[in-house]
Amino acid sequence: MNLSIEMPDAKEAVIGGIAVNYYEGGSGSTIILLHGWPQTSYIWRKVWPELQKHYHVIAIEMPGLGNSNALPSADTLSVSNFIRQFCEQLKIKSFHLLAHDIGAWVAVTFARNLNICSNH
């Protein structure tokens, strides 16, 4: 087992005045990874090499964790709206969403909110 797996260099986006770090690599259809609490995107390091062989992978440091600044409110709707704004800023229109722990709460809220928005 390779214990020296590295994530790509961190990038930074500023969404609504809030700086967030993210990692990006690979090509193909996009998959966005959301980590849990109290973790960082580093938890994806062991699956990253395989995922980026097949996907354009983005791992977002959740607001308030890792090297990302906190949002004024940390509820799942606020964070899911932040993720939506992140996708809009990076012009990501279609993607798979993979989440762990609290990141899954955000992912479900994101998907539910997207479904509500697409029905109007």
Side-chain angles (χ1 to χ4, degrees), residues 12 18 23 33 36-37 40 42 58 62 73 79 97 102 107 119:
E12 182 180 84
I18 306 293
Y23 302 88
L33 308 174
W37 183 90
T40 68
Y42 188 65
I58 297 174
M62 298 287 275
S73 179
V79 178
L97 190 56
I102 299 265
N119 287 331

Side-chain angles (χ1 to χ4, degrees), residues 6-64:
E6 296 290 325
M7 295 288 285
D9 290 337
K11 298 181 177 184
E12 182 180 84
V14 178
I15 313 295
I18 306 293
V20 61
N21 276 8
Y22 67 99
Y23 302 88
E24 184 173 26
S27 62
S29 58
T30 300
I31 185 167
I32 295 177
L33 308 174
L34 302 178
H35 63 79
W37 183 90
Q39 299 163 329
T40 68
S41 292
Y42 188 65
I43 67 158
W44 302 112
R45 72 193 178 283
K46 292 182 181 179
V47 297
W48 187 275
E50 195 62 32
L51 286 174
Q52 74 174 0
K53 288 180 186 176
H54 308 283
Y55 296 96
H56 169 225
V57 185
I58 297 174
I60 301 170
E61 293 283 285
M62 298 287 275

Side-chain angles (χ1 to χ4, degrees), residues 11-22 60-61 63 68-72 78-92:
K11 298 181 177 184
E12 182 180 84
V14 178
I15 313 295
I18 306 293
V20 61
N21 276 8
Y22 67 99
I60 301 170
E61 293 283 285
S68 292
N69 292 337
L71 297 175
S78 295
V79 178
S80 70
N81 284 334
F82 184 84
I83 300 300
R84 180 185 49 77
Q85 293 169 352
F86 173 89
C87 292
E88 289 170 356
Q89 183 166 315
L90 272 64
K91 297 182 177 19
I92 301 168

